[in-house]
Coordinates of all heavy atoms in Angstrom, one line a residue:
L148 N -6.8 54.8 50.0 CA -7.0 56.3 50.0 C -8.4 56.7 49.9 O -8.8 57.8 50.5 CB -6.1 56.9 48.8 CG -4.6 56.7 49.0 CD1 -3.9 57.1 47.7 CD2 -4.1 57.6 50.1
L149 N -9.2 56.0 49.1 CA -10.6 56.4 49.0 C -11.3 56.2 50.3 O -12.1 57.1 50.8 CB -11.3 55.5 47.9 CG -12.8 55.6 47.8 CD1 -13.2 57.0 47.4 CD2 -13.3 54.6 46.8
C150 N -11.0 55.1 51.0 CA -11.7 54.9 52.3 C -11.2 55.9 53.3 O -11.9 56.4 54.2 CB -11.4 53.4 52.8 SG -12.1 52.1 51.8
H151 N -9.9 56.2 53.3 CA -9.4 57.3 54.2 C -10.1 58.6 54.0 O -10.4 59.3 54.9 CB -7.9 57.4 54.0 CG -7.3 58.7 54.6 ND1 -7.3 59.0 55.9 CD2 -6.7 59.8 54.0 CE1 -6.7 60.2 56.1 NE2 -6.4 60.6 55.0
R152 N -10.3 58.9 52.7 CA -11.0 60.2 52.4 C -12.4 60.2 53.0 O -12.9 61.2 53.6 CB -11.1 60.3 50.9 CG -11.6 61.7 50.5 CD -10.6 62.5 49.8 NE -10.9 63.8 49.6 CZ -10.2 64.7 48.8 NH1 -9.2 64.2 48.1 NH2 -10.6 65.9 48.6
L153 N -13.1 59.0 52.9 CA -14.4 58.9 53.4 C -14.4 59.1 54.9 O -15.2 59.8 55.5 CB -15.0 57.6 53.0 CG -15.8 57.5 51.7 CD1 -16.0 56.0 51.3 CD2 -17.1 58.2 51.7
V154 N -13.6 58.3 55.6 CA -13.6 58.3 57.1 C -13.2 59.6 57.6 O -13.8 60.1 58.6 CB -12.6 57.2 57.6 CG1 -12.4 57.2 59.1 CG2 -13.2 55.8 57.2
S155 N -12.1 60.2 57.1 CA -11.7 61.6 57.6 C -12.7 62.6 57.4 O -12.9 63.5 58.3 CB -10.4 62.0 56.9 OG -10.5 62.1 55.5
S156 N -13.5 62.6 56.2 CA -14.5 63.6 56.0 C -15.7 63.4 57.0 O -16.3 64.3 57.4 CB -15.0 63.5 54.5 OG -15.6 62.3 54.2
V157 N -16.0 62.1 57.3 CA -17.1 61.8 58.2 C -16.8 62.4 59.6 O -17.6 63.1 60.3 CB -17.4 60.3 58.2 CG1 -18.3 60.0 59.4 CG2 -18.1 59.9 57.0
Y158 N -15.6 62.1 60.1 CA -15.2 62.5 61.4 C -15.0 64.0 61.5 O -15.2 64.7 62.5 CB -13.9 61.8 61.9 CG -14.1 60.5 62.6 CD1 -14.3 59.3 61.8 CD2 -14.3 60.4 63.9 CE1 -14.5 58.1 62.5 CE2 -14.5 59.2 64.6 CZ -14.6 58.1 63.8 OH -14.9 56.9 64.5
A159 N -14.6 64.6 60.4 CA -14.4 66.1 60.3 C -15.8 66.7 60.4 O -16.0 67.8 61.0 CB -13.7 66.6 59.1
A160 N -16.8 66.1 59.8 CA -18.2 66.7 59.7 C -18.9 66.5 61.1 O -19.7 67.4 61.5 CB -19.0 66.1 58.6
L161 N -18.7 65.4 61.7 CA -19.4 65.0 62.9 C -18.7 65.3 64.2 O -19.3 65.7 65.2 CB -19.9 63.6 62.9 CG -20.8 63.2 61.8 CD1 -21.1 61.7 61.8 CD2 -22.1 63.9 61.9
G162 N -17.4 65.1 64.2 CA -16.6 65.3 65.4 C -16.8 64.2 66.4 O -17.6 63.3 66.2
T163 N -16.1 64.3 67.5 CA -16.2 63.3 68.6 C -16.4 64.0 69.9 O -15.9 63.5 71.0 CB -15.0 62.4 68.6 OG1 -13.8 63.2 68.8 CG2 -14.9 61.6 67.3
H164 N -17.0 65.2 70.0 CA -17.1 65.9 71.2 C -18.0 65.3 72.2 O -18.0 65.6 73.4 CB -17.5 67.4 70.9 CG -18.8 67.4 70.0 ND1 -18.7 67.3 68.7 CD2 -20.0 67.7 70.3 CE1 -19.9 67.4 68.1 NE2 -20.8 67.6 69.1
T165 N -19.0 64.5 71.7 CA -19.9 63.8 72.7 C -19.8 62.3 72.3 O -19.4 61.9 71.2 CB -21.3 64.3 72.5 OG1 -21.8 64.1 71.2 CG2 -21.4 65.8 72.9
A166 N -20.3 61.5 73.2 CA -20.4 60.0 73.0 C -21.3 59.7 71.9 O -21.0 58.8 71.0 CB -20.8 59.3 74.3
A167 N -22.4 60.5 71.8 CA -23.4 60.2 70.7 C -22.8 60.6 69.3 O -22.9 59.8 68.3 CB -24.7 61.0 70.9
A168 N -22.0 61.7 69.3 CA -21.4 62.1 68.0 C -20.3 61.0 67.6 O -20.2 60.7 66.4 CB -20.8 63.4 68.1
A169 N -19.6 60.5 68.6 CA -18.5 59.5 68.3 C -19.2 58.2 67.8 O -18.6 57.6 66.8 CB -17.7 59.3 69.6
A170 N -20.3 57.8 68.4 CA -20.9 56.6 67.9 C -21.5 56.8 66.5 O -21.4 55.9 65.7 CB -22.0 56.2 68.9
T171 N -22.1 57.9 66.2 CA -22.6 58.2 64.9 C -21.5 58.2 63.9 O -21.6 57.7 62.8 CB -23.3 59.6 64.9 OG1 -24.4 59.5 65.8 CG2 -23.9 59.8 63.5
A172 N -20.3 58.9 64.2 CA -19.2 58.9 63.3 C -18.7 57.5 63.0 O -18.3 57.2 61.9 CB -18.1 59.8 63.9
R173 N -18.6 56.7 64.0 CA -18.1 55.3 63.8 C -19.0 54.5 63.0 O -18.5 53.9 62.0 CB -17.9 54.7 65.2 CG -17.3 53.3 65.2 CD -17.1 52.7 66.6 NE -16.5 51.4 66.5 CZ -17.2 50.3 66.4 NH1 -18.5 50.3 66.3 NH2 -16.5 49.1 66.4
A174 N -20.3 54.6 63.2 CA -21.2 53.8 62.4 C -21.2 54.3 61.0 O -21.2 53.5 60.0 CB -22.6 53.9 63.0
T175 N -21.2 55.6 60.8 CA -21.2 56.2 59.4 C -19.9 55.8 58.7 O -20.0 55.5 57.5 CB -21.4 57.7 59.5 OG1 -22.5 58.1 60.2 CG2 -21.5 58.3 58.1
S176 N -18.8 55.8 59.4 CA -17.5 55.5 58.7 C -17.5 54.0 58.3 O -17.1 53.7 57.1 CB -16.4 55.8 59.7 OG -16.3 57.2 60.0
L177 N -17.9 53.2 59.1 CA -17.9 51.7 58.8 C -18.8 51.5 57.6 O -18.5 50.7 56.7 CB -18.3 50.9 60.0 CG -17.3 50.8 61.1 CD1 -17.9 50.0 62.3 CD2 -16.0 50.2 60.7
L178 N -20.0 52.1 57.6 CA -20.9 51.9 56.5 C -20.3 52.5 55.2 O -20.5 52.0 54.1 CB -22.3 52.5 56.8 CG -23.3 52.4 55.7 CD1 -23.6 50.9 55.4 CD2 -24.6 53.1 56.1
A179 N -19.7 53.7 55.4 CA -19.1 54.3 54.2 C -18.0 53.5 53.5 O -17.9 53.4 52.3 CB -18.5 55.7 54.6

Side-chain angles (χ1 to χ4, degrees):
L148 290 172
L149 173 61
C150 293
H151 164 64
R152 186 114 192 192
L153 272 168
V154 172
S155 60
S156 63
V157 167
Y158 272 86
L161 296 176
T163 57
H164 51 281
T165 64
T171 302
R173 183 175 183 274
T175 305
S176 298
L177 290 176
L178 181 60

